[in-house]
Amino acid sequence: PLKDEFETNIILNQRNSKAVWSAIHERLIKTIQEGLINSTGSLMAIEGLTLAKRKALMNSLLTQFDIVLNNILDTENIQTSYKEIWSELQPELRRNALQAMAGSYVRLPYNGDLKPVAEHLLNITDLLDEDDELPEVERMLDPLILNKPLIVDGQLLPSDDPRALIKLEMFISNWLIRISEIISAEIISACGQWPELRSYLLNPELISTRELERLRNQLNSQNRWQNLIQRPIQLYESKRLFYALTKGRIEPILVTEPRDKELRQLNWWQQQVALLVEARDALAPQLQSLVKRVGDLMVVLLTQVIGRAIGLIGRGIAQGMGRSLRKSQ
C-alpha cells in the first residue's frame, strides 16, 4: 500500500495508468456513497435533486467516464485521436448518464398521458452547454491514456505516485461535479414545464412553484455574477476553482496557475472588469501615499495651527475671567 499526505491508504495492484484509474474509480464511488454535502459556500443546482438522485447522477457519470475511457484505450493511433473521440462522445455520455439517473422504464403523467421520464427529458433538455472553468482535457486524460506524469508542487511525478494520484482524482471529481451541475440545471428547468417530475426528482420543498422559480432565479443570478465579475478577476489573478469530492462533501479548491490565454479571450465587459482590478492595483500605492500625506497635513493643522489657536483663545478667556473675578471682589 501507498500512503498519501492526507493519511489515506491507496492500494495499487500494479504501477500503471489502468491501476491508477481503478484506484481513483473505487475511491470516488466510496465518497459518493458517503454523501454529497455542498461545502462550497455557493448555491449549486445539484442541491435541488434528492440525495438519491444526486448519487445516481454522479455514479452514472462515473460509469460513463469509465466506458468512454476504455473505448479510447481500445482505439488505434490513440495518441493523435483520443481528444477528438472524447469530444465526440460527450453528448452521448451526458445523455446516457441522464437516462440512467431518471430510470429507463419510469413513466409519469404528462398532459393526461403517461410519458417515459428519461425519453421525454432527453427531448426537452439541452445537454451541450460547456463550463468555461473546466481545464483542458489533456490534464485529466493524458496520465490515464498516455501514462504521462503530472506536475505536483513543481515536481514531475508519475501517475502512480500518491501525490499525483490525489491531484488526478481532483481533476476527475471536478469534471464530475461540473458536468453534474450542467445536467442538474437542465433537470430543474424541465421540472418547471413538467410539475409531476418534481416529487420524483427534486427535494420536497421544490414541489412548490414559488420555491422552484426562486431557486432557478438564484442560480441564474449567481451564474451571471460568476461569469461577468468573478471569472475575469480569477483569470487576472491566475486562479482556477476546482471542486473536489472529499469524504461525502463537495469542497472548493482554489489553485494558482497561468491563465493568460483565457484572459485574452474574454469579451469586452469581462475585460473591463479585469482592467478595473489592474487599475486598482496600479493606483493603490499612490492613493496610500496621498492618504498618508493628507493625514500628516491634518495632524500638522490640528496640532500646530488649530491647536495653538485654541490654546491662545483659551488663555485669553481664562485671563478675562480672572480680571472679572478680581473686579467683583
Side-chain angles (χ1 to χ4, degrees):
L2 301 174
K3 206 167 189 181
D4 68 13
E5 59 186 347
F6 301 106
E7 300 295 327
T8 303
N9 289 324
I10 303 174
I11 300 174
L12 297 179
N13 297 324
Q14 297 178 338
R15 303 183 71 89
N16 56 39
S17 57
K18 285 188 176 181
V20 169
W21 165 238
S22 178
I24 292 174
H25 192 182
E26 185 178 328
R27 284 163 57 85
L28 288 174
I29 288 175
K30 182 179 178 181
T31 194
I32 289 170
Q33 288 307 116
E34 290 176 355
L36 293 168
I37 299 171
N38 179 12
S39 300
T40 66
S42 300
L43 188 64
M44 302 188 79
I46 197 172
E47 288 183 279
L49 305 184
T50 65
L51 180 57
K53 293 304 180 185
R54 282 180 242 168
K55 291 181 178 180
L57 179 57
M58 286 278 194
N59 282 321
S60 299
L61 280 172
L62 196 56
T63 298
Q64 291 302 312
F65 186 99
D66 182 54
I67 292 171
V68 171
L69 182 61
N70 287 320
N71 286 342
I72 293 174
L73 289 172
D74 293 336
T75 304
E76 295 181 359
N77 300 320
I78 188 174
Q79 191 158 359
T80 58
S81 62
Y82 90 79
K83 296 175 192 174
E84 290 77 11
I85 296 172
W86 171 264
S87 180
E88 290 172 0
L89 291 177
Q90 285 308 292
E92 182 182 352
L93 179 153
R94 297 180 187 187
R95 288 171 63 87
N96 290 343
L98 176 56
Q99 185 171 20
M101 184 275 293
S104 300
Y105 304 105
V106 177
R107 292 173 177 266
L108 290 175
Y110 181 76
N111 290 339
D113 298 322
L114 284 177
K115 292 281 187 181
V117 172
E119 180 182 333
H120 196 67
L121 276 176
L122 291 174
N123 290 333
I124 64 175
T125 55
D126 178 12
L127 302 178
L128 300 179
D129 195 14
E130 295 297 333
D131 189 329
D132 293 332
E133 284 301 290
L134 271 173
E136 301 85 351
V137 68
E138 301 96 297
R139 298 172 65 181
M140 180 173 66
L141 295 183
D142 274 0
L144 296 174
I145 294 173
L146 306 180
N147 204 25
K148 287 188 176 181
L150 286 82
I151 297 178
V152 182
D153 296 332
Q155 301 180 62
L156 203 59
L157 302 174
S159 58
D160 58 17
D161 185 286
R163 292 164 293 176
L165 189 148
I166 292 295
K167 186 169 184 177
L168 185 55
E169 182 181 310
M170 181 187 71
F171 289 153
I172 296 170
S173 63
N174 180 64
W175 177 87
L176 279 174
I177 294 164
R178 290 188 178 275
I179 301 302
S180 294
E181 280 293 283
I182 292 173
I183 297 175
S184 298
E186 287 296 319
I187 291 172
I188 291 171
S189 180
C191 287
Q193 306 173 37
W194 189 355
E196 288 81 2
L197 273 180
R198 299 175 195 173
S199 57
Y200 176 58
L201 296 175
L202 304 184
N203 288 322
E205 63 271 16
L206 296 179
I207 294 175
S208 162
T209 300
R210 179 181 181 182
E211 293 301 322
L212 180 64
E213 291 305 317
R214 178 184 294 176
L215 174 63
R216 291 176 64 185
N217 291 332
Q218 288 175 340
L219 287 170
N220 289 335
S221 298
Q222 178 178 270
N223 289 339
R224 283 193 294 269
W225 176 260
Q226 289 175 342
N227 184 56
L228 296 176
I229 306 298
Q230 289 187 333
R231 185 165 188 265
I233 293 174
Q234 286 182 351
L235 288 177
Y236 183 67
E237 294 177 345
S238 299
K239 304 285 187 184
R240 188 188 295 275
L241 178 63
F242 286 89
Y243 294 125
L245 290 171
T246 308
K247 296 181 179 178
R249 292 182 175 274
I250 300 174
E251 297 185 341
I253 300 175
L254 204 58
V255 175
T256 303
E257 59 181 42
R259 305 194 68 181
D260 298 45
K261 181 179 178 182
E262 294 170 271
L263 186 62
R264 290 191 293 270
Q265 294 172 347
L266 292 176
N267 63 35
W268 182 87
W269 171 262
Q270 293 170 314
Q271 288 177 352
Q272 305 318 301
V273 174
L275 284 173
L276 283 175
V277 177
E278 183 178 1
R280 183 194 66 181
D281 292 344
L283 294 174
Q286 285 82 354
L287 288 175
Q288 289 176 354
S289 177
L290 178 62
V291 170
K292 184 177 184 301
R293 290 179 180 277
V294 171
D296 291 342
L297 178 61
M298 291 300 295
V299 170
V300 171
L301 287 172
L302 290 172
T303 57
Q304 301 299 320
V305 179
I306 298 176
R308 288 185 177 180
I310 291 174
L312 290 172
I313 293 170
R315 284 197 296 272
I317 292 172
Q319 290 173 358
M321 290 179 66
R323 284 196 295 270
S324 299
L325 289 172
R326 284 196 295 274
K327 287 179 179 181
S328 65
Q329 291 173 353

